[in-house]
Amino acid sequence: MSSIIDIKGMSHAYGGAGGTLALSDVNLEIRKNEFVTLLGPSGCGKTTLMRAIGGLVTPTSGSVLVNGKQVRGPNLDCAIVFQNFALMPWASVLQNVAFGLEMRGVGKAERMEKAREAIALVGLRGFEDKYPKQLSGGMQQRVGLARALVVSTPIMLMDEPFGALDQQTRRYMQEELLNIWQQDQRSVVFVTHDMEEAILLADRVVLMSNRPGRIEEVLDINFERPRNPEEVERMPEFIELKEYLWNRLRQMHEMSAA
Amino acid sequence: MARLVAFIIFAGLWEWGATSANSILIPTFTETAKALFETMFVTGDVWPALWISNIPMLIGYGISVAVSVPLGLAMARWTVADRMLNPITALMLALPIAPLVPVVLVALGMGMTPKVVIIILFSWVFITTNVRAGTRQVDRHLVEMARSFGASEREVWFRILIPGAIPAVFAGLRIGLGRAFAGMVIVELIMLPVGIGAQLMDYRGDFKADLLYATTIVVVMEAVLLAIAMQAFERHLIRWK
């Protein structure tokens, strides 16, 4: 299958060419409708890599191609779900969800209708007129998810989207994300530092190491789809994978501590 | 209820203090209340004076807002503007304005213009610095979010920066209004005896202490009422907080 995202020899240094090297010589292809998780310790540049795909970061060298085109500036083939939700506190749930459509010039009636559908899809029917402050963290991130889904981009970028949520809410959100993605497929690049989350969601786990950030290994995850996280977690292959990743991450930690 | 009790205690202490001082220059609470009623509803002397004072106040404050809010926004968004204006705002914040009043009057004469200028001098820097501080506090992640969904610079301004800055803008407008009031009264007291300032000086000269106090109270009431109206408008705009 053809790749939708093609990253070639990408390096990125913060503070210009002489600055701190965040990513070094990254090569990665991501296929259409593929679910990829970027896993690694903090400082491995996984978020920088994701932001480069979204065009929020321009790499100091190498190239990022999306649909065969070089990414320059905010990439409208991507919709981002942010770690800190990034909801406008002065706007209602409905207005927040419709924001991306509005920026794309979709007319009011159409964008309100689509936003309502997306709100129902993430299970927030009845909350359209609430303000973000009136919602729990999990519900706020559902709004963030709906905002990203509703623009129907071929790629969705997720930056540790469930990192700020408690364990139980995080599990619900993972299940729902899988359900939604199963029904309405698109390429997903999902940044996380949670091993279990990385395995449960992904077709491929991209394991990254730090200082400077680079890709260590790419693992294929072959659990059947649609997936039920609770079943998958009990499988011996899952436990094996988790142990393997745990050991790799520990090695990295020892290497960088030494 | 608590407020009413506080008010009664305050009025009682005033009455008792003024009675025991027994001075022609310190009216009792009841005398002041009577004078207040008279000047507002019987003679109506306070209204024309208040109106005369308010014209330059409104013009000066209006200009001040129209200039200071964009300045504050520009300082928050562009480092160049911030670097250029920062020394000026720092200086203006530290500088007492009252000593400048004679200077402005000498330069601009005795008409409406110097009053308007002084009221602007009193208020602008407080509006600018509050708007700047508030706009800088607008979540940078929101700007990034907007850009990622394709917002232009103009849309970033109108959909993120300005709505996010509204609470700070209002804080600045309220502080600025208080300062504009101070400017209005001070300029009339120091150099240009018209309006409320002239009336206050006349009452002082004629030992009409009760009217002097009553007129002062009217000015304070106007300031408080304006502040309340502004707060109500602000609450209406930022229901989301």
Side-chain angles (χ1 to χ4, degrees), chain A residues 84-85 87 93 123-124 127 130-144 161 164-166 169-170 172-173:
Chain A
N84 49 34
F85 316 144
L87 302 178
V93 166
L124 283 181
F127 291 90
K130 299 280 185 211
Y131 289 101
K133 222 188 162 183
Q134 298 168 290
L135 308 181
S136 69
M139 289 159 93
Q140 290 190 35
Q141 193 56 301
R142 283 165 199 266
V143 177
L165 307 178
D166 64 74
T169 312
R170 182 188 297 203
Y172 290 141
M173 295 295 286

Side-chain angles (χ1 to χ4, degrees), chain A residues 195-235:
Chain A
M195 288 179 295
E196 299 180 19
E197 185 170 69
I199 303 166
L200 284 175
L201 299 175
D203 294 319
R204 282 192 297 160
V205 173
V206 175
L207 180 66
M208 299 179 68
S209 67
N210 54 0
R211 291 187 199 110
R214 63 200 130 82
I215 295 178
E216 279 287 311
E217 190 175 349
V218 180
L219 292 101
D220 287 309
I221 310 293
N222 295 315
F223 299 111
E224 212 178 309
R225 300 238 189 221
R227 267 180 212 172
N228 176 346
E230 279 174 44
E231 277 172 26
V232 172
E233 269 187 330
R234 282 195 286 270
M235 293 181 180

Side-chain angles (χ1 to χ4, degrees), chain A residues 51 56 74 76 82 84 86-87 89-90 99-100 102-104 131 147, chain B residues 141-142 144-151 155 159-160 163-164 240-241:
Chain A
R51 288 159 56 90
L56 297 177
L76 295 186
F82 295 87
N84 49 34
L87 302 178
W90 52 83
F99 183 76
E102 192 186 342
M103 293 302 107
R104 280 163 166 76
Y131 289 101
R147 179 177 61 193
Chain B
H141 293 112
L142 283 179
E144 182 162 84
M145 181 282 293
R147 287 223 170 280
S148 81
F149 280 100
E155 284 165 332
R159 302 305 309 280
I160 307 293
W240 50 273
K241 268 243 155 161

Side-chain angles (χ1 to χ4, degrees), chain A residues 178-196:
Chain A
L178 281 178
N179 283 337
I180 290 168
W181 177 78
Q182 199 72 45
Q183 290 162 29
D184 185 9
Q185 292 215 338
R186 65 194 75 196
S187 306
V188 177
V189 178
F190 188 108
V191 173
T192 181
H193 56 251
D194 180 328
M195 288 179 295
E196 299 180 19

Side-chain angles (χ1 to χ4, degrees), chain B:
Chain B
M1 189 61 205
R3 281 183 199 176
L4 190 64
V5 171
F7 180 73
I8 290 170
I9 292 173
F10 170 76
L13 282 174
W14 180 356
E15 190 72 25
W16 172 77
T19 312
S20 38
N22 195 20
S23 158
I24 190 170
L25 294 174
I26 306 173
T28 63
F29 173 74
T30 38
E31 280 164 2
T32 308
K34 227 176 85 198
L36 185 62
F37 183 78
E38 251 174 45
T39 192
M40 284 176 75
F41 305 115
V42 182
T43 63
D45 281 345
V46 75
W47 302 125
L50 199 62
W51 175 237
I52 288 171
S53 295
N54 263 292
I55 295 170
M57 217 282 285
L58 291 177
I59 297 173
Y61 181 63
I63 294 175
S64 192
V65 169
V67 173
S68 308
V69 172
L71 271 185
L73 289 171
M75 285 176 79
R77 183 77 175 141
W78 294 298
T79 326
V80 184
D82 201 34
R83 285 220 196 100
M84 272 167 52
L85 291 166
N86 228 330
I88 301 171
T89 55
L91 180 74
M92 288 300 288
L93 280 172
L95 196 70
I97 302 299
L100 287 182
V101 173
V103 180
V104 174
L105 291 182
V106 167
L108 298 176
M110 305 298 270
M112 177 73 87
T113 322
K115 281 196 261 180
V116 169
V117 168
I118 285 160
I119 286 160
I120 294 171
L121 281 177
F122 260 86
S123 57
W124 79 272
V125 72
F126 293 88
I127 304 174
T128 298
T129 47
N130 268 285
V131 170
R132 170 183 174 272
T135 311
R136 286 173 73 120
Q137 276 168 18
V138 175
D139 196 348
R140 277 187 13 259
H141 293 112
L142 283 179
V143 174
E144 182 162 84
M145 181 282 293
R147 287 223 170 280
S148 81
F149 280 100
S152 63
E153 175 73 14
R154 195 189 123 86
E155 284 165 332
V156 167
W157 272 102
F158 282 96
R159 302 305 309 280
I160 307 293
L161 292 172
I162 291 175
I166 278 184
V169 169
F170 269 95
L173 293 186
R174 252 186 289 128
I175 296 169
L177 182 68
R179 298 282 306 176
F181 250 88
M184 163 186 109
V185 177
I186 285 170
V187 71
E188 288 175 0
L189 284 178
I190 296 184
M191 296 294 258
L192 283 175
V194 288
I196 288 289
Q199 211 167 48
L200 290 175
M201 298 226 269
D202 285 350
Y203 291 145
R204 191 190 61 177
D206 299 346
F207 296 102
K208 291 177 180 161
D210 52 348
L211 279 166
L212 177 67
Y213 276 49
T215 308
T216 309
I217 289 171
V218 171
V219 175
V220 172
M221 284 197 311
E222 189 198 345
V224 170
L225 283 178
L226 277 174
I228 289 174
M230 218 166 205
Q231 226 161 20
F233 184 52
E234 180 181 352
R235 279 216 198 92
H236 174 75
L237 273 183
I238 53 172
R239 274 158 299 175
W240 50 273
K241 268 243 155 161

